[in-house]
Every structure is written in C-alpha cells, then in structure tokens.
Amino acid sequence: MTAFYEAGKLYAQEEGIEYDVVSHDQDSAQQVTDIRQFVAEGYDAIIAAPFDEAVDDAIDEAAAEDIPVFTVNDPGTTDSIKTFTAFGNAEAGETCAELMVDALEEQYPDREEYSVLHVRGAFNQQSNARTDGFDEYIGEQDHVEVVDTIQTDWSIDDSQSTTTDYLSANDPPDGIYATNMTCGIGVQNALEQLDLAAPAGDDDHIVHTQPDAGPDVNPLIEDGYIDATVDQPVHFYIPLAIKQLLDYLEDGDEALPQPGETVTEDDYSFDPVEHNGAELWSDPIWAPAEVTEQDGHTHVLTAGVVVTAENVDNPGLWGNIWG
C-alpha cells in the first residue's frame, strides 16, 4: 500500500495536480463518506480503490454530478466507473496454479500424484478471484489435488497460526498456495516453526506459489523457499489512472481505452524519477495491458509479473524500490 499510494502522489506532483489522499481503513462506510465529501467539495475527478460493493452508490452519486471516477487495485461493480486499472486477480491465481504444477513436476519428477494445501484469505473480491482462478486450473489436472482449503484473515499472524494448526494435525502437502503476500509470509513462518522449511531442490521442499512478491517475500524467493509469485505493478496503477483521467478531462470518453484494444508502453509512457535510490517507472512491467469489460465498465488489465529466483533482483519490481 505504501508503494501504491506514494507512487500515485509522486506522479500527481510530476503532473502538477492538486492531489489529496484519504484511507478507508477497510471500512466501506468511511469510503462512502469520503467520496461524498469529495463530491461536495467539487473535485474534478476521483480515483478510488472500492473496498466492496457498498461503495457503488457513492460512485454513482459522483458520476451524477459529472465528477468522473476511476478505480484502481479494486474494481467496483457499477457502470458509472470510467475505467478500472489493475492486474487480474483470477488470472494471477491461474498463473500461480500453472507455476505450482511446473514446480511440483520439477521437484518430484518420479511422483504420479501431488497434494496441495490452499491457504486463502477472507471472502472478498480479491481473495475470491485469486482462489477461483487457482482452483479452476488445478481442478483440470488429474494428477494434482487440493487436499484442503483453510481460511485466514490475510494477516501474517493468523496465517501462521492457522497453517501451523493444520500442519500439526495433518501430513505435509507437496505444495502450498497462499493467496497474498502476508498470507504467504505466515505460511513460511509456520513451516519454519515446525521445522518443515527447506529450499527448492531439497528432498523435503514444499513447493510454494502465490500472488504478490514484495520486500519480505523477495528474499524467500531468492533463497528458494517460495518457488514463484505473480507480482502486481502497483506503482503504476494510480499513474496509469491519472493519465486516463487527464485524457478524459481533455477529450471525453473517446480518449479512454476501449474493450478489445491493447494498451502498450507507447500509449502511456513515463519519465523515470529518482525515488529511494531507484529509477521509478523506468521499467514498464505493467505492459502490455489488455482492455476488457467488467461489470459494465472498462478494465485496463495490466500484466502480472512472474517473479522467480532468476529475476527477483529486477530493480523495477516495487518490492526492490520500497524494500
């Protein structure tokens, strides 16, 4: 979230935009209040990460006052939204499943069947999509079985304790899929606590894939404890939305990406800036973005970045900029 918000603020400054940021703190009622306040104060546009569907009414109210709303990271479910920019959570889950199967077959080439534990988050838009994408792909594999799914609140502590309880009462699986960054850290803490942590190539290694890399995940990838992740280009989400917002304010709906199109780095280019000792936005890892339609509005579906031991030191990854 720090990378997400700071990158947006930095880009707004680069563009000379008066840019205010508020946080809903996982409270949809607070976000509704904030959006209504922005409407009352006559802001030119709003960029939001809707916590849940309860925020839709406030977005509709903003649109009714001719204040365009662009969403990032979390989609929203109203057709009043101009565009939504983020990677695909379901697509990330599916890719993690593909990476899981590949890593299992490489780790245990002599086995005919594999078992996987699914450690998911609470029932919200992101978690559900990441879960569904993974489960649908694994369900098509005759030689891989999800032996159990355990739910956490996506925090490190709860993921660690929940995974520890499960593994203390059951045989270790061949692989574990965690549905976000903090959940995956909790899983690795549990494996360490139970003396089950071993790097890839070791006979006792438990294959681990997940969406989200990051400052605390990247060392685990580098050392072989996490086999692969699908990372988000979060430091591009708000800057991409700002570019679309400015185009809309200048030329209207026709200036926005349209479903069926592909957006490339040539369409939205960024001048790198120095931040935390790195060249922010120098590597357009968000591109290309396929433009689709979701819940009646446009989805600018950025690329997800597969991170393994081979590229975990890429300076363009947000976790290596905000690490």
Side-chain angles (χ1 to χ4, degrees):
M1 288 298 99
T2 300
F4 175 68
Y5 286 121
E6 282 192 3
K9 185 175 182 179
L10 285 168
Y11 189 69
Q13 290 173 349
E14 290 293 306
E15 291 296 314
I17 295 171
E18 182 182 343
Y19 182 76
D20 294 328
V21 180
V22 295
S23 174
H24 56 66
D25 293 326
Q26 299 187 343
D27 182 350
S28 57
Q30 180 60 53
Q31 192 169 34
V32 167
T33 298
D34 292 334
I35 291 174
R36 287 174 173 161
Q37 183 64 32
F38 288 151
V39 172
E41 294 179 11
Y43 277 69
D44 295 307
I46 296 171
I47 296 174
F51 182 63
D52 57 29
E53 295 179 5
V55 183
D56 285 349
D57 287 345
I59 294 174
D60 291 339
E61 292 169 17
E65 296 296 327
D66 293 326
I67 298 176
V69 179
F70 296 77
T71 60
V72 287
N73 197 54
D74 300 298
T77 56
T78 170
D79 59 10
S80 295
I81 294 166
K82 291 299 180 182
T83 66
F84 163 55
T85 300
F87 87 154
N89 284 294
E91 290 82 355
E94 180 179 354
T95 301
C96 284
E98 296 174 4
L99 294 166
M100 171 67 71
V101 173
D102 290 344
L104 286 170
E105 292 174 346
E106 182 176 351
Q107 174 70 29
Y108 302 112
D110 297 329
R111 295 189 187 178
E112 295 183 355
E113 296 181 346
Y114 305 101
S115 60
V116 174
L117 174 65
H118 184 153
V119 183
R120 65 158 293 161
F123 288 87
N124 58 34
Q125 295 180 77
Q126 283 191 18
S127 181
N128 292 345
R130 294 177 180 194
T131 288
D132 293 343
F134 183 86
D135 285 347
E136 287 175 11
Y137 184 88
I138 293 297
E140 297 172 353
Q141 313 305 309
D142 294 335
H143 63 312
V144 183
E145 178 188 5
V146 175
V147 293
D148 217 330
T149 299
I150 57 177
Q151 183 179 340
T152 75
D153 64 6
W154 265 7
S155 70
I156 293 176
D157 289 345
D158 187 56
S159 297
Q160 179 176 347
S161 62
T162 303
T163 304
T164 298
D165 290 345
Y166 179 88
L167 294 176
S168 297
N170 298 275
D171 292 333
D174 300 316
I176 296 178
Y177 170 61
T179 53
N180 86 330
M181 176 176 61
T182 48
C183 185
I185 295 170
V187 166
Q188 284 299 318
N189 288 348
L191 294 178
E192 184 72 28
Q193 180 180 341
L194 296 172
D195 199 26
L196 294 174
D202 188 285
D203 290 344
D204 297 323
H205 174 61
I206 296 175
V207 172
H208 178 159
T209 67
Q210 65 181 56
D212 300 337
D216 296 318
V217 173
N218 292 355
L220 294 169
I221 299 172
E222 185 175 11
D223 293 338
Y225 292 98
I226 295 179
D227 296 77
T229 72
V230 180
D231 202 22
Q232 300 190 61
V234 294
H235 48 310
F236 282 98
Y237 286 175
I238 297 176
L240 284 166
I242 289 175
K243 282 185 175 290
Q244 296 164 51
L245 182 159
L246 293 174
D247 287 347
Y248 172 81
L249 294 177
E250 181 72 22
D251 295 314
D253 287 315
E254 292 184 359
L256 296 175
Q258 301 299 315
E261 297 179 349
T262 299
V263 180
T264 71
E265 59 186 284
D266 292 332
D267 297 302
Y268 294 131
S269 61
F270 296 88
D271 293 327
V273 298
E274 185 79 13
H275 185 67
N276 289 347
E279 289 290 307
L280 183 60
W281 307 313
S282 61
D283 185 355
I285 56 176
W286 65 271
E290 301 298 327
V291 186
T292 65
E293 186 173 319
Q294 177 174 329
D295 295 312
H297 60 265
T298 299
H299 182 181
V300 180
L301 182 66
T302 68
V305 185
V306 174
V307 182
T308 67
E310 294 181 357
N311 67 337
V312 70
D313 59 350
N314 181 344
L317 298 174
W318 73 266
N320 293 331
I321 300 172
W322 278 268

